[in-house]
């Protein structure tokens, strides 16, 4: 294996899948007759909320870490993130026996700081703005020689995220459609590639909050749009697309659906109550899209990537 | 199959298990390395929170309904309950195509009333005391000819509840111990019987809240003790033992552990956060016992029956 400098091929995704197997869980696919009845579709939930660190991010982080040459990996890996990617980088480094450096805003929630620290990463605090974040990361990389693992705009990350959809299609053949949430686009682009390679007849859909509908607008305008606000509960989906992820999404995603905040909360609650599993707000967005716009899914076999389950139980939206 | 008038034998439990298979889920067994590290034991969680109606109660209710002769079943089945047993009776009746009558106190939570109603049962409201409950049930039985299915003190129920432990031992051989919550004792006595038959070397433990420690006191005194209060979050465990369940528990349960309310909330939260699954307070009691009294479990392979996942998300204890 080596660092990918091109859009992952089927072979790259297969190779990645074998390589990361010892570092990730093969997560189960659940079904729920109650939610099928409500949605009018036959839904297959790929439970990345049960993944290590509680989110699909572990697939990408372990892929990128493993594809780094050992000489480059030796000085450690670094990232800036206050979310699931930070924990995924920290755990990947721990499993590979190298240092991890995570730049986090000084106002990051205590529970996320504790999560990253529990995997043994060094945390470097910065001011809560993007300039401070990037400058601090640059300093850390200069000081330590660590390799920066971008959270999404990286073919090695994309190849890792693609393995969730690959497993889903192995477990559930003949899906009419597959749907994933869109934030920076790592999961979405990986899902689209895996589906195009392994099940070309399956429609590929994305879903995002109306409040941060940059991906939907980017599809319309043909260039990367940014969000004027981050005012959504779906904290994992506030990011804009990157060039690499947008290029893949533009070519391989059939449509992107946008949903209200109320629809997100209601879909999240439905999964908690009916399936008895914990999903985070970002993770509820695809189901919210199906319930908001049922027509394209009616009577269809639909795979949903449940992206993660990291929720602050002290701050639930219901 | 016929109605059992004796303590279920291994053959009775096997026969029950085959018979109820189309009416219940074979639930998964999950593990969690994070909670293993905290507890010092190797834990195997039998996920009855994923069972139909969200609790193991569906096993007993389907067993009792199926063992009723068709002539007795034709007029319907009835019970008084505001909890998981009511929904289990309602769904069993629906699946068997017979009427269900559920007596519920007029102050029962709207969500539980809606749950029972969603399975098509007729609800008959009564005043919120035991006399009104029993009188109302008698009237319903006299009026309809329905058969009363007791929630726990019934060998047909016990044979059904025993199938959860049977499945757990089939999936995970060589358990050093198995632990279940104790309320009326249906799950506890079924678990004890299945374990004695299928894995006689495995210790059988119960767990209950200190606030309603009737089972622990009954084991000490040798007779059925009652609770002076129902002041526990674990609403499924407020009941006293029945004669049939106590007889089995006294002979086949090695020990009963009691836990504080704080330990229940903390164990429940741990499962939500680490396993990303929803369990109800009653269901957290066995893990709370292991975390409160770790010595007997240290280094052991321990099966935990996760009894149910029906929680009012609007009233969480954290």
């Amino acid at each position: 294996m080596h660092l990918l400098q091109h859009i992952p091929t089927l072979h790259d995704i297969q190779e990645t899948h074998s390589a990361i197997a010892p570092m990730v869980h093969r997560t189960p696919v659940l079904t729920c007759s109650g939610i099928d009845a409500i949605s009018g579709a036959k839904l297959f939930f790929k439970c990345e909320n049960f993944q290590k660190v509680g989110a699909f991010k572990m697939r990408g982080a372990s892929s990128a870490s493993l594809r780094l040459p050992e000489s480059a990996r030796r000085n450690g890996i670094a990232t800036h993130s206050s979310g699931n990617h930070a924990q995924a980088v920290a755990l990947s480094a721990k499993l590979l026996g190298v240092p991890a450096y995570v730049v986090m805003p000084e106002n990051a929630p205590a529970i996320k700081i504790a999560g990253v620290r529990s995997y043994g990463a060094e945390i470097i605090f910065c001011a809560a703005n993007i300039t401070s974040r990037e400058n601090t990361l640059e300093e850390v990389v200069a000081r330590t020689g660590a390799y920066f693992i971008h959270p999404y705009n990286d073919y090695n990350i994309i190849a890792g995220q693609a393995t969730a959809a690959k497993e889903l299609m192995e477990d559930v053949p003949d899906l009419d459609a597959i749907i994933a949430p869109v934030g920076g686009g790592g999961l979405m682009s990986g899902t689209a590639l895996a589906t195009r390679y392994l099940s070309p007849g399956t429609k590929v859909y994305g879903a995002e909050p109306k409040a941060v509908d940059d991906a939907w607008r980017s599809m319309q305008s043909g260039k990367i749009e940014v969000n004027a606000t981050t005012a959504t509960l779906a904290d994992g989906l506030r990011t804009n697309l990157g060039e690499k992820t947008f290029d893949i999404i533009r070519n391989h995603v059939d449509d992107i659906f946008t949903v209200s905040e109320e629809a997100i909360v209601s879909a999240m609650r439905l999964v908690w109550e009916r399936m008895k599993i914990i999903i985070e707000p970002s993770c509820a967005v695809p189901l919210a899209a199906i319930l908001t716009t049922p027509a394209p899914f009616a009577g269809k076999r639909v795979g949903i990537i449940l992206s993660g389950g990291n929720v602050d139980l002290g701050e639930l939206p219901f």
Side-chain angles (χ1 to χ4, degrees), chain A residues 2-8 12 15-16 63 67 154-156 159:
Chain A
H2 54 275
L3 277 178
L4 297 174
Q5 308 288 350
H6 56 261
I7 291 179
D12 293 330
E15 186 183 59
T16 301
S63 165
R67 284 185 172 278
D154 177 322
Y155 293 129
N156 305 284

Side-chain angles (χ1 to χ4, degrees), chain A residues 26-267:
Chain A
R26 181 164 185 126
T27 54
V29 177
L30 298 184
T31 60
C32 177
S33 55
I35 299 182
D36 282 357
I38 292 167
S39 69
K42 177 72 196 152
L43 305 176
F44 299 89
F45 297 89
K46 174 66 173 169
C47 290
E48 290 296 297
N49 54 330
F50 294 162
Q51 188 51 266
K52 293 199 185 196
V53 313
F56 73 93
K57 292 281 186 180
M58 189 58 193
R59 296 179 183 268
S62 56
S63 165
S65 315
L66 280 169
R67 284 185 172 278
L68 264 187
E70 202 138 344
S71 58
R73 198 198 291 161
R74 199 180 310 131
N75 294 329
I77 53 181
T79 199
H80 57 70
S81 160
S82 55
N84 294 330
H85 177 66
Q87 295 195 53
V89 166
L91 178 56
S92 297
K94 185 183 176 189
L95 293 175
L96 294 171
V98 302
Y101 305 95
V102 177
V103 174
M104 297 182 90
E106 54 203 0
N107 64 352
I111 191 170
K112 301 212 162 170
I113 296 170
V116 170
R117 194 165 275 151
S118 75
Y119 298 117
E122 181 181 321
I123 298 174
I124 304 95
F125 290 102
C126 65
N129 64 68
I130 189 75
T131 317
S132 168
R133 230 183 225 223
E134 290 178 351
N135 289 346
T136 308
L137 181 72
E138 257 180 57
E139 284 164 28
V140 168
V141 167
R143 168 169 66 85
T144 62
Y147 185 93
F148 168 44
I149 298 188
H150 194 279
Y152 53 88
N153 200 40
D154 177 322
Y155 293 129
N156 305 284
I157 291 284
I158 294 168
Q161 318 307 28
T163 60
K166 176 174 183 281
E167 290 177 8
L168 172 55
M169 288 180 287
E170 286 166 358
D171 289 354
V172 187
D174 304 323
L175 287 175
D176 297 307
I178 192 164
I179 184 166
V182 196
L187 179 64
M188 184 78 257
S189 56
T191 300
L193 289 178
T195 308
R196 282 294 172 261
Y197 295 143
L198 295 168
S199 183
T202 300
K203 293 272 188 193
V204 181
Y205 296 123
E208 68 183 349
K210 272 195 210 311
V212 292
D213 64 348
D214 59 292
W216 185 84
R217 286 183 286 113
S218 301
M219 293 281 270
Q220 306 299 312
S221 71
K223 62 183 176 50
I224 296 178
E225 302 288 344
V226 299
N227 294 310
T229 165
T230 56
T232 175
L233 273 170
D235 56 321
L237 308 182
R238 291 168 181 159
T239 329
N240 310 311
L241 298 175
E243 286 164 31
K244 296 185 175 72
T245 57
F246 178 50
D247 182 40
I248 296 168
I249 289 170
R250 178 163 47 172
N251 287 307
H252 300 291
V253 172
D254 292 291
D255 206 352
I256 290 179
F257 298 91
T258 61
V259 298
S260 69
E261 296 299 299
E262 295 69 32
I264 296 171
V265 174
S266 154

